[in-house]
Amino acid sequence: MASRNLGGRSASRSGGGGGKKSLSARNAAVERRNLITVCRFSVKTLIDRSCFETIDDSSPEFNNFAAILEQILSHRLKEISQSCRWLAHLQIPLQGQVTWFGYESPRSFWDYIRVACRKVSQNCICSIENMENVSSSRAKGRAWIRVALMEKHLSEYISTALRDFKTTRRFYEDGAIVLGEEANMLAGMLLGLNAIDFSFCLKGEGLDGNFPAVIDYTPYLKFTQSSDSISSDEEELRTLGSSGSESSTPENVGPPFIMDENSWFNKCKRVKQKYQLTLEQKGYLEELLRLRENQLSESVSQNKTLLQRIEDSDLAHKLEKEQLEYIIVELQDQLKSYQSLDQLSAEVSLSQTSLDPGQSQEGDGKQDTLNSISEGKEDTPSLLGLCGSLTSVASYKSLTSLKSNDYLASPTTEMTSPGLTPS
């Protein structure tokens, strides 16, 4: 019997140990899920609030988001004495003073951020380290959140830190949010904050690191009561009222429902305001679209006009090029004819020296004839056409109708004339 009792006790102890482990795992999973869910809600509320007003230190939505992010980055953060050896090896300064029992001040998520985010280009780590009015590690972490939001680089900082898995493992224990699957969700949901323009004062009370951040869950809680539960509550209130005093009536139950109606009226009013704002934005966007369409149509018509001008100028250039080519050919032909005339006049002058005076007179007559021919050649209509505009169509047609060979003297006939033969 004793052995049986001992066995039963040992089995119950082992079962209790397994139950504790499963309970702790369940609690850790619920904690991670709660923080990630409320962080997603806070990001949505920040984006909605930024449509109506500027987000600064006085905004309750931002204060709640900063507290949530601080809780996420501080989730299962290791104690500073567990990794002071490798930090000293990396020559990284630590916050607090060293004693025989470790560090006096507790570790903050800033110690992890300043190590894991140094690879970010143009980071603000050094500027936050050199801030005079911020001394504690927690205050510097809060200042970093504000600066990263104003720079629109918070998601980039978180993504870079999570990619450095070795550093993350050194700073956090197993089961931390930054070591689980929720880390990727965190970097993705923070990306939407880049569309918001934040304005913070880095010298305010929000950077006080003496008090931990507390999350306000009430804006994200919503309880919907069914009709059955409302009727049962009403019956319970009637029962309690009748048992307490005979003078009590069900009218005492009225105020909660009146308040509920007021809350519905307020919600309807807010929805109506949003609807009016949406209508105004819709009208503005439609007007802007109409203006852009008009500008686009004008640009298309101007583009067509420019293309037509380019085509006309190309055609005019081609015609002018053809005219110039024809004129060049005509001038080359006339140059060749002038060169043949010069050779003929040189031969005539040589033949005159070997002739008698009678023949020299005849040669002079022949020279006069050649001069008259050359003068007639210079007065050809083709040359007169050159005196006008080279680009005129009329001169171009007159040039095409002319033949220079008709106005040139044939050198063969002059050479074979009996007056030029030597005696």
Side-chain angles (χ1 to χ4, degrees), residues 124-359:
C124 59
I125 305 298
C126 295
S127 60
I128 292 177
E129 286 285 351
N130 297 327
M131 291 178 66
E132 297 179 355
N133 61 321
V134 180
S135 58
S136 64
S137 177
R138 181 182 293 172
K140 289 182 179 180
R142 293 174 179 176
W144 168 77
I145 292 175
R146 286 160 171 79
V147 173
L149 286 173
M150 287 190 291
E151 292 180 351
K152 303 180 185 297
H153 290 164
L154 181 60
S155 178
E156 182 181 358
Y157 280 110
I158 298 297
S159 300
T160 304
L162 295 177
R163 282 196 297 267
D164 192 357
F165 189 72
K166 186 181 292 185
T167 304
T168 307
R169 289 288 300 175
R170 287 172 177 170
F171 275 89
Y172 289 91
E173 299 176 355
D174 294 335
I177 294 178
V178 295
L179 292 176
E181 297 178 354
E182 297 86 356
N184 297 326
M185 298 173 57
L186 176 64
M189 69 178 66
L190 293 179
L191 191 62
L193 297 178
N194 295 341
I196 304 176
D197 294 328
F198 294 93
S199 177
F200 301 118
C201 178
L202 300 180
K203 297 181 180 180
E205 298 179 355
L207 300 181
D208 188 5
N210 297 325
F211 302 99
V214 179
I215 302 175
D216 183 11
Y217 291 96
T218 54
Y220 317 115
L221 298 177
K222 182 180 180 181
F223 176 71
T224 304
Q225 194 173 20
S226 63
S227 58
D228 296 336
S229 63
I230 291 175
S231 61
S232 62
D233 291 343
E234 196 171 337
E235 291 176 358
E236 289 179 0
L237 289 173
R238 287 178 180 176
T239 304
L240 291 174
S242 61
S243 62
S245 62
E246 296 179 357
S247 61
S248 61
T249 60
E251 295 178 356
N252 297 328
V253 189
F257 293 98
I258 294 174
M259 292 177 62
D260 187 64
E261 291 177 0
N262 291 334
S263 64
W264 280 109
F265 177 77
N266 294 330
K267 288 181 180 180
C268 182
K269 188 176 180 180
R270 288 195 297 269
V271 170
K272 187 176 180 180
Q273 291 176 355
K274 289 183 180 180
Y275 178 71
Q276 293 292 337
L277 181 62
T278 306
L279 284 180
E280 293 177 359
Q281 293 178 352
K282 178 176 176 292
Y284 170 74
L285 292 176
E286 288 178 351
E287 182 68 18
L288 186 63
L289 180 61
R290 186 181 62 81
L291 293 176
R292 292 293 181 267
E293 288 179 351
N294 294 335
Q295 292 177 358
L296 180 61
S297 61
E298 292 178 358
S299 300
V300 169
S301 61
Q302 291 178 0
N303 189 19
K304 290 181 179 179
T305 305
L306 292 176
L307 290 175
Q308 186 64 32
R309 289 181 181 178
I310 291 172
E311 292 178 358
D312 296 340
S313 61
D314 289 339
L315 182 60
H317 291 162
K318 288 181 181 178
L319 292 175
E320 186 177 358
K321 182 180 178 181
E322 291 178 358
Q323 293 177 7
L324 292 175
E325 288 178 352
Y326 180 79
I327 291 171
I328 289 172
V329 172
E330 183 73 18
L331 291 175
Q332 288 177 353
D333 294 341
Q334 291 184 7
L335 181 61
K336 291 179 181 179
S337 64
Y338 284 133
Q339 289 178 354
S340 62
L341 287 175
D342 291 339
Q343 291 178 359
L344 182 60
S345 62
E347 291 176 357
V348 170
S349 63
L350 288 175
S351 62
Q352 287 179 355
T353 57
S354 60
L355 295 176
D356 53 358
Q359 293 179 349

Side-chain angles (χ1 to χ4, degrees), residues 34-65:
N34 289 341
L35 287 174
I36 291 296
T37 303
V38 76
C39 182
R40 184 170 67 251
F41 289 157
S42 66
V43 170
K44 289 183 178 180
T45 55
L46 268 178
I47 295 174
D48 292 340
R49 179 60 61 182
S50 64
C51 298
F52 304 99
E53 61 184 17
T54 304
I55 305 298
D56 53 8
D57 297 283
S58 61
S59 176
E61 289 81 7
F62 165 73
N63 293 327
N64 211 24
F65 166 76

Side-chain angles (χ1 to χ4, degrees), residues 105-122:
S105 61
R107 167 177 284 174
S108 171
F109 69 93
W110 169 247
D111 299 323
Y112 163 69
I113 290 297
R114 64 173 180 168
V115 176
C117 295
R118 288 188 179 273
K119 297 180 181 179
V120 179
S121 60
Q122 299 179 357

